[in-house]
Coordinates of all heavy atoms in Angstrom, one line a residue:
M1 N 32.1 14.5 -52.5 CA 33.3 13.6 -52.5 C 34.5 14.5 -53.0 O 34.4 15.1 -54.0 CB 33.0 12.5 -53.6 CG 34.2 11.6 -53.8 SD 34.0 10.3 -55.0 CE 32.8 9.2 -54.3
P2 N 35.5 14.5 -52.2 CA 36.7 15.2 -52.5 C 37.4 14.7 -53.8 O 37.2 13.5 -54.2 CB 37.7 15.0 -51.3 CG 36.8 14.5 -50.2 CD 35.6 13.8 -50.9
N3 N 38.1 15.6 -54.5 CA 38.7 15.2 -55.8 C 39.7 14.1 -55.6 O 39.7 13.2 -56.5 CB 39.4 16.4 -56.4 CG 38.4 17.4 -57.1 OD1 37.3 17.0 -57.3 ND2 38.9 18.6 -57.3
D4 N 40.5 14.0 -54.6 CA 41.4 13.0 -54.4 C 40.8 11.6 -54.3 O 41.2 10.6 -54.8 CB 42.4 13.2 -53.3 CG 41.8 13.4 -52.0 OD1 40.5 13.7 -51.9 OD2 42.5 13.3 -50.9
L5 N 39.6 11.6 -53.6 CA 38.9 10.3 -53.4 C 38.2 9.9 -54.8 O 38.2 8.8 -55.1 CB 37.8 10.4 -52.3 CG 37.0 9.2 -52.1 CD1 37.8 8.0 -51.7 CD2 36.0 9.5 -51.0
L6 N 37.7 10.9 -55.5 CA 37.1 10.6 -56.8 C 38.2 10.1 -57.8 O 37.9 9.0 -58.4 CB 36.5 11.9 -57.4 CG 36.0 11.8 -58.8 CD1 34.8 10.9 -58.8 CD2 35.6 13.2 -59.3
F7 N 39.3 10.7 -57.9 CA 40.3 10.2 -58.8 C 40.9 8.9 -58.4 O 41.2 8.0 -59.2 CB 41.5 11.2 -58.9 CG 41.1 12.5 -59.6 CD1 41.5 13.7 -59.1 CD2 40.3 12.5 -60.7 CE1 41.1 14.9 -59.7 CE2 39.9 13.7 -61.3 CZ 40.3 14.9 -60.8
S8 N 41.0 8.6 -57.1 CA 41.5 7.3 -56.6 C 40.5 6.2 -56.9 O 40.8 5.1 -57.3 CB 41.7 7.4 -55.1 OG 42.3 6.2 -54.6
S9 N 39.2 6.6 -56.8 CA 38.1 5.6 -57.1 C 38.1 5.3 -58.6 O 38.0 4.1 -59.0 CB 36.7 6.2 -56.7 OG 36.7 6.4 -55.4
I10 N 38.3 6.3 -59.4 CA 38.3 6.0 -60.9 C 39.6 5.2 -61.2 O 39.5 4.2 -62.0 CB 38.4 7.4 -61.6 CG1 37.0 8.1 -61.5 CG2 38.7 7.2 -63.1 CD1 37.0 9.5 -62.0
A11 N 40.7 5.5 -60.6 CA 41.9 4.7 -60.9 C 41.7 3.3 -60.5 O 42.2 2.3 -61.2 CB 43.1 5.3 -60.2
S12 N 41.1 3.0 -59.4 CA 40.8 1.7 -58.9 C 39.9 0.9 -59.9 O 40.2 -0.2 -60.2 CB 40.1 1.7 -57.5 OG 39.9 0.5 -57.1
A13 N 38.8 1.6 -60.3 CA 37.9 0.9 -61.3 C 38.6 0.6 -62.6 O 38.5 -0.5 -63.1 CB 36.7 1.8 -61.5
V14 N 39.4 1.5 -63.1 CA 40.1 1.3 -64.4 C 41.2 0.2 -64.2 O 41.3 -0.7 -65.1 CB 40.8 2.6 -64.9 CG1 41.7 2.3 -66.0 CG2 39.7 3.6 -65.3
A15 N 41.9 0.1 -63.1 CA 42.9 -0.9 -62.8 C 42.2 -2.3 -62.8 O 42.7 -3.3 -63.4 CB 43.6 -0.6 -61.5
W16 N 41.1 -2.4 -62.1 CA 40.4 -3.7 -62.1 C 39.8 -4.1 -63.5 O 39.9 -5.3 -63.8 CB 39.3 -3.7 -61.0 CG 39.8 -3.8 -59.6 CD1 39.8 -2.8 -58.7 CD2 40.5 -4.9 -59.1 NE1 40.4 -3.3 -57.5 CE2 40.9 -4.5 -57.8 CE3 40.9 -6.1 -59.6 CZ2 41.6 -5.4 -56.9 CZ3 41.6 -7.0 -58.7 CH2 42.0 -6.6 -57.4
L17 N 39.4 -3.1 -64.2 CA 38.9 -3.4 -65.6 C 40.1 -3.9 -66.4 O 39.9 -5.0 -67.1 CB 38.3 -2.1 -66.2 CG 37.9 -2.3 -67.7 CD1 36.8 -3.2 -67.9 CD2 37.6 -0.9 -68.3
F18 N 41.2 -3.3 -66.4 CA 42.4 -3.8 -67.1 C 42.8 -5.1 -66.6 O 43.3 -6.0 -67.4 CB 43.5 -2.8 -67.1 CG 43.4 -1.6 -68.0 CD1 43.9 -0.4 -67.7 CD2 42.7 -1.7 -69.2 CE1 43.8 0.7 -68.5 CE2 42.6 -0.6 -70.1 CZ 43.1 0.6 -69.7
T19 N 42.7 -5.4 -65.3 CA 43.1 -6.7 -64.8 C 42.2 -7.8 -65.4 O 42.7 -8.8 -65.9 CB 42.9 -6.7 -63.3 OG1 43.8 -5.8 -62.7 CG2 43.2 -8.1 -62.7
L20 N 40.9 -7.5 -65.5 CA 40.0 -8.5 -66.1 C 40.2 -8.7 -67.6 O 40.2 -9.8 -68.1 CB 38.5 -8.0 -65.8 CG 38.0 -8.1 -64.4 CD1 36.7 -7.5 -64.3 CD2 38.1 -9.5 -63.9
L21 N 40.5 -7.6 -68.3 CA 40.7 -7.7 -69.7 C 42.0 -8.5 -70.0 O 42.0 -9.3 -71.0 CB 40.8 -6.3 -70.4 CG 39.5 -5.5 -70.4 CD1 39.7 -4.1 -70.9 CD2 38.5 -6.2 -71.2
T22 N 43.1 -8.2 -69.3 CA 44.3 -9.0 -69.6 C 44.2 -10.4 -69.1 O 44.7 -11.3 -69.8 CB 45.5 -8.3 -68.9 OG1 45.3 -8.2 -67.5 CG2 45.9 -7.0 -69.5
Y23 N 43.4 -10.7 -68.1 CA 43.2 -12.1 -67.7 C 42.4 -12.8 -68.8 O 42.6 -13.9 -69.1 CB 42.5 -12.2 -66.4 CG 42.2 -13.6 -65.9 CD1 43.3 -14.4 -65.6 CD2 40.9 -14.1 -65.9 CE1 43.1 -15.7 -65.2 CE2 40.7 -15.4 -65.5 CZ 41.8 -16.2 -65.2 OH 41.6 -17.5 -64.8
Q24 N 41.4 -12.1 -69.3 CA 40.6 -12.7 -70.4 C 41.5 -13.0 -71.6 O 41.3 -14.0 -72.3 CB 39.5 -11.7 -70.8 CG 38.4 -12.3 -71.6 CD 37.3 -11.2 -71.8 OE1 37.5 -10.1 -72.1 NE2 36.0 -11.7 -71.6
Q25 N 42.4 -12.1 -72.0 CA 43.4 -12.4 -73.0 C 44.2 -13.6 -72.7 O 44.4 -14.5 -73.6 CB 44.3 -11.2 -73.3 CG 43.7 -10.1 -74.0 CD 44.7 -9.0 -74.3 OE1 45.8 -9.0 -73.8 NE2 44.3 -8.1 -75.2
Y26 N 44.6 -13.7 -71.5 CA 45.4 -14.9 -71.1 C 44.6 -16.2 -71.3 O 45.1 -17.2 -71.8 CB 45.9 -14.8 -69.7 CG 46.5 -16.1 -69.1 CD1 47.7 -16.5 -69.6 CD2 45.8 -16.8 -68.2 CE1 48.2 -17.7 -69.1 CE2 46.3 -18.0 -67.7 CZ 47.5 -18.5 -68.2 OH 48.0 -19.7 -67.7
R27 N 43.3 -16.1 -70.8 CA 42.5 -17.3 -70.9 C 42.2 -17.7 -72.4 O 42.2 -18.9 -72.7 CB 41.1 -17.1 -70.3 CG 41.2 -16.8 -68.8 CD 41.0 -18.0 -68.0 NE 39.8 -18.7 -68.4 CZ 39.4 -19.8 -67.9 NH1 40.2 -20.4 -67.0 NH2 38.3 -20.4 -68.3
T28 N 42.1 -16.8 -73.3 CA 41.8 -17.1 -74.7 C 43.1 -17.5 -75.5 O 43.1 -18.4 -76.3 CB 41.1 -16.0 -75.4 OG1 41.9 -14.8 -75.4 CG2 39.7 -15.8 -74.8
R29 N 44.2 -16.8 -75.2 CA 45.5 -17.0 -76.0 C 46.5 -17.9 -75.2 O 47.3 -18.5 -75.9 CB 46.1 -15.7 -76.3 CG 45.2 -14.8 -77.1 CD 45.8 -13.5 -77.4 NE 44.9 -12.6 -78.0 CZ 45.1 -11.3 -78.2 NH1 46.3 -10.8 -77.8 NH2 44.2 -10.5 -78.8
G30 N 46.4 -17.9 -73.9 CA 47.3 -18.8 -73.1 C 48.8 -18.4 -73.2 O 49.6 -19.3 -72.9
R31 N 49.1 -17.2 -73.4 CA 50.5 -16.7 -73.4 C 51.0 -16.3 -72.0 O 50.3 -15.7 -71.3 CB 50.7 -15.6 -74.4 CG 50.2 -15.8 -75.8 CD 51.1 -16.8 -76.6 NE 52.5 -16.4 -76.6 CZ 53.0 -15.8 -77.7 NH1 52.3 -15.6 -78.7 NH2 54.3 -15.5 -77.6
Q32 N 52.2 -16.8 -71.7 CA 52.7 -16.6 -70.3 C 52.8 -15.1 -70.0 O 52.5 -14.7 -68.9 CB 54.0 -17.3 -70.2 CG 54.6 -17.1 -68.8 CD 55.9 -17.8 -68.6 OE1 56.5 -18.2 -69.6 NE2 56.4 -17.8 -67.4
H33 N 53.2 -14.3 -70.9 CA 53.4 -12.9 -70.6 C 52.1 -12.2 -70.3 O 52.1 -11.2 -69.5 CB 54.1 -12.2 -71.8 CG 53.3 -12.0 -73.0 ND1 53.3 -13.0 -74.0 CD2 52.5 -11.0 -73.4 CE1 52.5 -12.6 -75.0 NE2 52.0 -11.4 -74.6
Q34 N 51.0 -12.7 -70.8 CA 49.7 -12.1 -70.5 C 49.3 -12.4 -69.0 O 48.7 -11.5 -68.4 CB 48.6 -12.6 -71.5 CG 48.9 -12.0 -72.9 CD 48.1 -12.8 -73.9 OE1 47.8 -14.0 -73.8 NE2 47.8 -12.1 -75.0
L35 N 49.7 -13.5 -68.6 CA 49.5 -13.8 -67.1 C 50.4 -12.9 -66.3 O 49.9 -12.4 -65.2 CB 49.8 -15.3 -66.9 CG 49.6 -15.7 -65.4 CD1 48.2 -15.5 -65.0 CD2 50.0 -17.2 -65.3
L36 N 51.6 -12.7 -66.7 CA 52.5 -11.8 -65.9 C 51.9 -10.4 -65.9 O 52.0 -9.7 -64.8 CB 53.9 -11.8 -66.5 CG 54.7 -13.1 -66.3 CD1 56.0 -13.0 -67.0 CD2 54.9 -13.4 -64.8
W37 N 51.5 -9.9 -67.0 CA 50.9 -8.6 -67.0 C 49.6 -8.5 -66.1 O 49.4 -7.5 -65.4 CB 50.5 -8.2 -68.5 CG 51.6 -7.6 -69.2 CD1 52.4 -8.2 -70.2 CD2 52.2 -6.3 -69.1 NE1 53.4 -7.4 -70.6 CE2 53.3 -6.2 -70.0 CE3 51.9 -5.2 -68.3 CZ2 54.0 -5.0 -70.1 CZ3 52.6 -4.1 -68.4 CH2 53.7 -4.0 -69.3
T38 N 48.8 -9.6 -66.2 CA 47.6 -9.6 -65.3 C 48.0 -9.5 -63.8 O 47.4 -8.8 -63.1 CB 46.8 -10.9 -65.6 OG1 46.4 -11.0 -67.0 CG2 45.6 -11.0 -64.7
L39 N 49.0 -10.3 -63.4 CA 49.4 -10.2 -62.0 C 50.0 -8.9 -61.7 O 49.7 -8.4 -60.6 CB 50.5 -11.3 -61.8 CG 50.0 -12.8 -61.9 CD1 51.1 -13.7 -61.8 CD2 48.9 -13.0 -60.9
G40 N 50.7 -8.3 -62.6 CA 51.2 -6.9 -62.3 C 50.1 -5.9 -62.2 O 50.2 -5.0 -61.2
I41 N 49.2 -5.9 -63.1 CA 48.1 -4.9 -63.0 C 47.2 -5.2 -61.8 O 46.7 -4.3 -61.2 CB 47.3 -5.0 -64.3 CG1 48.2 -4.5 -65.5 CG2 46.1 -4.1 -64.2 CD1 47.5 -4.8 -66.9
A42 N 47.0 -6.5 -61.5 CA 46.2 -6.8 -60.3 C 46.9 -6.3 -59.0 O 46.2 -5.8 -58.1 CB 46.0 -8.3 -60.2
S43 N 48.2 -6.4 -59.0 CA 48.9 -5.8 -57.8 C 48.7 -4.3 -57.7 O 48.5 -3.8 -56.6 CB 50.4 -6.1 -57.9 OG 50.7 -7.5 -57.8
F44 N 48.8 -3.6 -58.8 CA 48.5 -2.2 -58.8 C 47.1 -1.9 -58.4 O 46.8 -1.0 -57.6 CB 48.8 -1.6 -60.2 CG 48.4 -0.1 -60.3 CD1 49.2 0.8 -59.8 CD2 47.2 0.2 -60.9 CE1 48.8 2.2 -59.8 CE2 46.8 1.6 -61.0 CZ 47.6 2.5 -60.4
A45 N 46.1 -2.7 -58.9 CA 44.7 -2.6 -58.5 C 44.5 -2.7 -57.0 O 43.8 -1.9 -56.4 CB 43.8 -3.6 -59.3
F46 N 45.2 -3.7 -56.4 CA 45.1 -3.9 -54.9 C 45.6 -2.6 -54.2 O 45.1 -2.1 -53.3 CB 45.9 -5.1 -54.5 CG 45.1 -6.4 -54.6 CD1 45.5 -7.4 -55.4 CD2 43.9 -6.5 -53.8 CE1 44.7 -8.6 -55.5 CE2 43.2 -7.7 -53.9 CZ 43.6 -8.7 -54.7
A47 N 46.8 -2.1 -54.7 CA 47.4 -0.9 -54.1 C 46.5 0.3 -54.2 O 46.3 1.0 -53.2 CB 48.7 -0.6 -54.7
V48 N 45.9 0.6 -55.4 CA 45.1 1.8 -55.5 C 43.8 1.6 -54.8 O 43.2 2.6 -54.3 CB 45.0 2.1 -57.0 CG1 44.0 1.2 -57.7 CG2 44.5 3.6 -57.2
T49 N 43.3 0.4 -54.7 CA 42.0 0.1 -53.9 C 42.3 0.4 -52.4 O 41.5 1.0 -51.8 CB 41.5 -1.3 -54.2 OG1 41.2 -1.5 -55.6 CG2 40.3 -1.6 -53.4
A50 N 43.4 -0.1 -51.9 CA 43.8 0.2 -50.5 C 43.9 1.7 -50.3 O 43.4 2.2 -49.3 CB 45.1 -0.5 -50.2
D51 N 44.5 2.4 -51.2 CA 44.6 3.8 -51.1 C 43.2 4.5 -51.1 O 42.9 5.4 -50.3 CB 45.4 4.4 -52.3 CG 45.5 5.9 -52.2 OD1 46.2 6.4 -51.3 OD2 45.0 6.6 -53.1
T52 N 42.3 4.0 -52.0 CA 40.9 4.5 -52.0 C 40.2 4.3 -50.7 O 39.5 5.2 -50.2 CB 40.1 3.9 -53.2 OG1 40.8 4.1 -54.4 CG2 38.7 4.5 -53.3
V53 N 40.3 3.1 -50.1 CA 39.7 2.8 -48.9 C 40.2 3.7 -47.8 O 39.5 4.2 -46.9 CB 39.8 1.3 -48.5 CG1 39.4 1.0 -47.1 CG2 39.0 0.5 -49.5
A54 N 41.6 3.9 -47.8 CA 42.2 4.7 -46.7 C 41.7 6.2 -46.8 O 41.4 6.8 -45.8 CB 43.7 4.7 -46.9
R55 N 41.5 6.7 -48.1 CA 41.0 8.0 -48.2 C 39.6 8.1 -47.8 O 39.2 9.1 -47.2 CB 41.2 8.4 -49.7 CG 42.6 8.7 -50.1 CD 42.7 9.0 -51.6 NE 44.0 9.0 -52.1 CZ 44.8 10.0 -52.0 NH1 44.5 11.1 -51.5 NH2 46.1 9.9 -52.5
A56 N 38.8 7.1 -48.1 CA 37.4 7.1 -47.7 C 37.2 7.1 -46.2 O 36.3 7.7 -45.6 CB 36.6 6.0 -48.3
Q57 N 38.1 6.4 -45.5 CA 38.0 6.2 -44.0 C 38.7 7.4 -43.3 O 38.6 7.5 -42.1 CB 38.7 4.9 -43.6 CG 37.9 3.7 -44.0 CD 38.6 2.4 -43.6 OE1 39.8 2.4 -43.3 NE2 37.9 1.3 -43.7
G58 N 39.4 8.2 -44.0 CA 40.1 9.3 -43.4 C 41.5 9.0 -42.9 O 42.1 9.8 -42.2
G59 N 42.0 7.8 -43.2 CA 43.3 7.4 -42.7 C 43.6 6.0 -42.9 O 42.7 5.2 -43.3
W60 N 44.8 5.6 -42.6 CA 45.3 4.2 -42.9 C 45.0 3.3 -41.6 O 45.3 3.7 -40.5 CB 46.8 4.2 -43.2 CG 47.1 4.7 -44.5 CD1 47.5 6.0 -44.8 CD2 47.0 4.0 -45.8 NE1 47.7 6.1 -46.2 CE2 47.4 4.9 -46.8 CE3 46.6 2.7 -46.1 CZ2 47.4 4.6 -48.1 CZ3 46.7 2.4 -47.5 CH2 47.0 3.3 -48.4
S61 N 44.6 2.1 -41.9 CA 44.6 1.1 -40.8 C 45.9 0.3 -41.0 O 46.5 0.3 -42.1 CB 43.3 0.2 -41.0 OG 43.4 -0.6 -42.2
D62 N 46.2 -0.5 -40.0 CA 47.4 -1.4 -40.2 C 47.3 -2.3 -41.3 O 48.2 -2.5 -42.1 CB 47.7 -2.1 -38.9 CG 48.2 -1.3 -37.7 OD1 48.7 -0.2 -38.0 OD2 48.0 -1.7 -36.6
G63 N 46.2 -3.0 -41.4 CA 46.0 -4.0 -42.5 C 46.0 -3.3 -43.9 O 46.5 -3.8 -44.9
G64 N 45.3 -2.2 -44.0 CA 45.2 -1.5 -45.3 C 46.6 -1.0 -45.7 O 47.0 -1.1 -46.9
Y65 N 47.4 -0.5 -44.8 CA 48.7 -0.1 -45.1 C 49.6 -1.2 -45.6 O 50.4 -1.1 -46.5 CB 49.4 0.7 -44.0 CG 50.8 1.1 -44.3 CD1 51.1 2.1 -45.1 CD2 51.9 0.4 -43.8 CE1 52.4 2.5 -45.5 CE2 53.2 0.7 -44.1 CZ 53.4 1.8 -45.0 OH 54.7 2.1 -45.3
R66 N 49.5 -2.4 -44.9 CA 50.3 -3.5 -45.3 C 49.9 -4.0 -46.7 O 50.8 -4.4 -47.5 CB 50.1 -4.7 -44.3 CG 50.9 -4.4 -43.0 CD 50.8 -5.6 -42.1 NE 51.2 -5.3 -40.8 CZ 50.4 -5.3 -39.7 NH1 49.2 -5.7 -39.8 NH2 50.9 -5.0 -38.5
L67 N 48.6 -4.0 -47.0 CA 48.2 -4.4 -48.3 C 48.7 -3.5 -49.4 O 49.2 -3.9 -50.4 CB 46.6 -4.4 -48.4 CG 46.0 -4.6 -49.8 CD1 46.3 -6.1 -50.2 CD2 44.5 -4.4 -49.7
W68 N 48.7 -2.2 -49.1 CA 49.2 -1.2 -50.1 C 50.7 -1.4 -50.3 O 51.2 -1.4 -51.4 CB 48.9 0.2 -49.5 CG 49.4 1.3 -50.3 CD1 48.9 1.8 -51.5 CD2 50.6 2.1 -50.0 NE1 49.7 2.9 -51.9 CE2 50.8 3.0 -51.0 CE3 51.5 2.1 -49.0 CZ2 51.8 3.9 -51.1 CZ3 52.6 3.0 -49.0 CH2 52.7 3.9 -50.0
R69 N 51.4 -1.5 -49.2 CA 52.9 -1.7 -49.2 C 53.3 -2.9 -50.0 O 54.1 -2.9 -50.9 CB 53.5 -1.7 -47.8 CG 55.0 -1.8 -47.8 CD 55.4 -2.3 -46.4 NE 54.9 -3.6 -46.1 CZ 54.7 -4.1 -44.9 NH1 55.0 -3.3 -43.9 NH2 54.3 -5.3 -44.7
D70 N 52.6 -4.0 -49.7 CA 53.0 -5.3 -50.4 C 52.6 -5.3 -51.8 O 53.3 -5.8 -52.7 CB 52.3 -6.5 -49.7 CG 52.9 -6.7 -48.3 OD1 54.0 -6.1 -48.0 OD2 52.2 -7.4 -47.5
A71 N 51.4 -4.7 -52.1 CA 51.0 -4.6 -53.5 C 51.9 -3.7 -54.3 O 52.2 -4.1 -55.5 CB 49.5 -4.1 -53.6
R72 N 52.4 -2.6 -53.8 CA 53.4 -1.8 -54.5 C 54.6 -2.6 -54.8 O 55.2 -2.5 -55.8 CB 53.7 -0.5 -53.7 CG 52.5 0.5 -53.7 CD 52.9 1.8 -53.2 NE 54.1 2.3 -53.9 CZ 55.0 3.1 -53.4 NH1 54.9 3.5 -52.2 NH2 56.0 3.4 -54.1
R73 N 55.1 -3.3 -53.8 CA 56.3 -4.1 -54.0 C 56.1 -5.2 -55.1 O 57.0 -5.3 -56.0 CB 56.7 -4.8 -52.7 CG 58.0 -5.6 -52.7 CD 58.2 -6.5 -51.6 NE 57.1 -7.5 -51.5 CZ 56.5 -7.8 -50.4 NH1 56.8 -7.3 -49.2 NH2 55.5 -8.7 -50.5
D74 N 55.0 -5.8 -55.1 CA 54.7 -6.9 -56.1 C 54.6 -6.2 -57.5 O 54.9 -6.8 -58.5 CB 53.5 -7.7 -55.7 CG 53.7 -8.5 -54.5 OD1 54.8 -8.7 -54.1 OD2 52.6 -8.9 -53.9
T75 N 54.0 -5.0 -57.6 CA 53.9 -4.3 -58.8 C 55.2 -4.0 -59.4 O 55.5 -4.2 -60.6 CB 53.1 -3.0 -58.7 OG1 51.8 -3.3 -58.2 CG2 52.9 -2.3 -60.0
A76 N 56.2 -3.6 -58.6 CA 57.5 -3.3 -59.0 C 58.2 -4.6 -59.5 O 58.9 -4.6 -60.6 CB 58.3 -2.7 -57.9
R77 N 58.0 -5.7 -58.8 CA 58.6 -7.0 -59.3 C 58.0 -7.4 -60.6 O 58.7 -7.9 -61.5 CB 58.3 -8.1 -58.3 CG 59.1 -7.9 -57.0 CD 58.8 -9.0 -56.0 NE 59.6 -8.8 -54.8 CZ 59.3 -9.4 -53.7 NH1 58.3 -10.3 -53.6 NH2 60.0 -9.2 -52.6
A78 N 56.7 -7.3 -60.8 CA 56.1 -7.7 -62.1 C 56.6 -6.8 -63.2 O 56.8 -7.2 -64.3 CB 54.6 -7.6 -62.0
G79 N 56.8 -5.5 -62.9 CA 57.3 -4.6 -63.9 C 58.7 -4.9 -64.3 O 59.1 -4.9 -65.5
H80 N 59.6 -5.4 -63.4 CA 60.9 -5.8 -63.7 C 60.9 -7.0 -64.7 O 61.6 -7.1 -65.6 CB 61.7 -6.1 -62.5 CG 62.0 -4.9 -61.7 ND1 62.8 -3.9 -62.1 CD2 61.7 -4.5 -60.4 CE1 63.0 -3.0 -61.2 NE2 62.2 -3.3 -60.2
A81 N 59.9 -8.0 -64.4 CA 59.8 -9.1 -65.3 C 59.4 -8.7 -66.7 O 59.9 -9.3 -67.7 CB 58.8 -10.1 -64.7
A82 N 58.5 -7.8 -66.8 CA 58.0 -7.4 -68.1 C 59.1 -6.7 -68.9 O 59.2 -7.0 -70.1 CB 56.8 -6.4 -67.9
F83 N 59.9 -5.9 -68.3 CA 60.9 -5.1 -69.0 C 62.2 -5.9 -69.1 O 63.1 -5.5 -69.8 CB 61.2 -3.8 -68.4 CG 60.0 -2.9 -68.5 CD1 59.3 -2.5 -67.5 CD2 59.7 -2.4 -69.8 CE1 58.2 -1.6 -67.6 CE2 58.6 -1.6 -70.0 CZ 57.9 -1.2 -68.9
A84 N 62.3 -7.1 -68.5 CA 63.5 -7.9 -68.6 C 63.4 -8.8 -69.9 O 64.2 -9.6 -70.1 CB 63.7 -8.8 -67.4
G85 N 62.3 -8.7 -70.6 CA 62.1 -9.5 -71.8 C 61.3 -10.7 -71.6 O 61.0 -11.5 -72.6
Q86 N 60.8 -11.0 -70.4 CA 60.0 -12.2 -70.2 C 58.6 -12.0 -70.5 O 57.9 -12.9 -70.8 CB 60.1 -12.6 -68.7 CG 61.5 -13.0 -68.2 CD 61.5 -13.3 -66.7 OE1 60.5 -13.4 -66.1 NE2 62.7 -13.4 -66.2
A87 N 58.2 -10.7 -70.6 CA 56.8 -10.4 -70.9 C 56.7 -9.3 -71.9 O 56.6 -8.1 -71.6 CB 56.1 -10.0 -69.6
P88 N 56.8 -9.6 -73.2 CA 56.7 -8.5 -74.2 C 55.4 -7.7 -74.2 O 54.4 -8.3 -73.8 CB 56.8 -9.3 -75.5 CG 56.4 -10.7 -75.2 CD 56.8 -10.9 -73.8
V89 N 55.5 -6.5 -74.5 CA 54.4 -5.6 -74.5 C 53.4 -5.9 -75.6 O 52.2 -5.9 -75.5 CB 54.8 -4.1 -74.6 CG1 53.6 -3.2 -74.7 CG2 55.7 -3.8 -73.4
D90 N 53.9 -6.3 -76.8 CA 53.0 -6.6 -77.9 C 53.4 -7.9 -78.5 O 54.5 -8.5 -78.2 CB 53.1 -5.5 -79.0 CG 54.5 -5.3 -79.5 OD1 55.5 -5.8 -78.9 OD2 54.7 -4.5 -80.5
E91 N 52.6 -8.4 -79.4 CA 52.8 -9.7 -80.0 C 53.1 -9.5 -81.5 O 52.5 -8.7 -82.2 CB 51.6 -10.6 -79.9 CG 51.5 -11.1 -78.5 CD 50.4 -12.2 -78.3 OE1 49.6 -12.4 -79.2 OE2 50.5 -12.9 -77.4

């Protein structure tokens, strides 16, 4: 397995783990900013997973590229919401 595929796979796994952990926090505490963080991290997880699949297949498919592009755009939007004060980093 090439290093770039290995690192992309690890990043994908960690992103999905953080998505689950932040969603679990939202379910137990019910704070709106935790849901926003979950959506932002999930968008990043989709993007890095699409990148991992593209690396494993040796190139991008049309659908994979669209998923990656849209997930990156959604991640940026969620980041803007977090830093605009709607989603504090800590409680």
Side-chain angles (χ1 to χ4, degrees):
M1 177 182 291
N3 283 342
D4 58 343
L5 180 58
L6 175 66
F7 292 137
S8 186
S9 299
I10 292 170
S12 180
V14 170
W16 285 113
L17 175 65
F18 281 148
T19 300
L20 292 174
L21 292 174
T22 55
Y23 180 70
Q24 194 173 46
Q25 282 184 350
Y26 168 72
R27 297 267 307 174
T28 58
R29 299 178 190 171
R31 303 293 301 262
Q32 182 183 9
H33 69 272
Q34 291 163 332
L35 180 59
L36 291 174
W37 276 104
T38 300
L39 294 174
I41 297 169
S43 293
F44 174 76
F46 276 116
V48 75
T49 300
D51 180 65
T52 302
V53 170
R55 289 176 191 275
Q57 292 177 344
W60 288 97
S61 66
D62 287 340
Y65 177 74
R66 286 189 194 114
L67 174 66
W68 175 80
R69 181 196 64 204
D70 294 344
R72 285 193 55 209
R73 182 192 62 221
D74 295 342
T75 301
R77 288 180 183 164
H80 291 296
F83 291 111
Q86 296 177 12
V89 176
D90 57 350
E91 291 189 343

